[in-house]
Amino acid sequence: TPNGVVRLPEDETKSYNQLVEITRAGSDMTIARRGWEIYSQKYPKSRRCDVVYWIGETYYIEKSYKRAIDYFGRIESEFPNCQKQEATYIRTAFSLFYLGQVDVASKVLDAMTALYPKPNFGAQMKELRKMIKEHRAKSQKPPVKKDGN
């Protein structure tokens, strides 16, 4: 609501879908996180992995990459069979890249290639590999000399 109160529909699926839409819209991640917290209290045994993923996504959208990585990492440790696993890897790889941990991001991509021979995030993986390559190329250029010295 306009005053920041989060009200979810009584139907669990409608609540989930509404929260996904709010999160993807990216307008107010504090409200989205509050909604996910309410959802997890209201439906404590439902979609636990998804709740952790979407809270991580709110931090990713806010560019709070360290916090996003913390949430995405929970999925691997707490929910090893979660269907969001592959999505967490690509988000983690991008987050690491944005934090300047380019080599670690590259290793996450390598692990994804081994784990997912037919990835759902192939385009994003390709995009990140290109970004890593460009970053490394810039890092290896010799400094430009001034005044012919």
Side-chain angles (χ1 to χ4, degrees):
T1 64
N3 62 359
V5 175
V6 176
R7 291 194 185 122
L8 298 177
E10 287 304 314
D11 180 75
E12 187 267 335
T13 300
K14 285 182 182 177
S15 293
Y16 177 83
N17 292 336
Q18 180 179 352
L19 286 168
V20 169
E21 287 178 32
I22 290 169
T23 304
R24 285 184 174 155
S27 58
D28 190 334
M29 295 300 94
T30 302
I31 296 293
R33 276 191 294 277
R34 182 69 187 125
W36 287 113
E37 290 167 12
I38 292 168
Y39 177 91
S40 68
Q41 291 166 4
K42 194 171 183 177
Y43 307 104
K45 295 183 181 185
S46 182
R47 305 179 198 227
R48 291 177 36 225
C49 168
D50 290 39
V51 170
V52 173
Y53 172 81
W54 286 110
I55 292 173
E57 186 73 9
T58 67
Y59 287 114
Y60 182 86
I61 290 167
E62 286 180 331
K63 299 181 180 170
S64 298
Y65 298 120
K66 288 181 182 179
R67 296 211 63 193
I69 289 170
D70 289 342
Y71 274 87
F72 295 144
R74 285 182 54 197
I75 291 175
E76 185 173 33
S77 62
E78 296 175 28
F79 310 101
N81 297 318
C82 178
Q83 292 184 353
K84 296 281 188 204
Q85 192 74 267
E86 186 181 1
T88 66
Y89 287 140
I90 193 65
R91 285 296 201 226
T92 297
F94 270 102
S95 296
L96 289 163
F97 177 84
Y98 294 136
L99 289 170
Q101 298 179 32
V102 178
D103 291 337
V104 182
S106 182
K107 288 178 183 177
V108 171
L109 285 177
D110 293 343
M112 285 184 72
T113 301
L115 289 169
Y116 304 101
K118 295 180 181 180
N120 293 314
F121 297 92
Q124 292 95 327
M125 291 171 71
K126 185 176 180 179
E127 175 189 351
L128 183 54
R129 285 202 191 279
K130 180 180 176 187
M131 291 166 59
I132 290 169
K133 184 178 179 181
E134 290 170 355
H135 174 82
R136 287 178 173 159
K138 285 181 192 175
S139 301
Q140 294 176 357
K141 287 184 179 178
V144 177
K145 293 182 181 180
K146 293 182 181 180
D147 301 311
N149 293 329

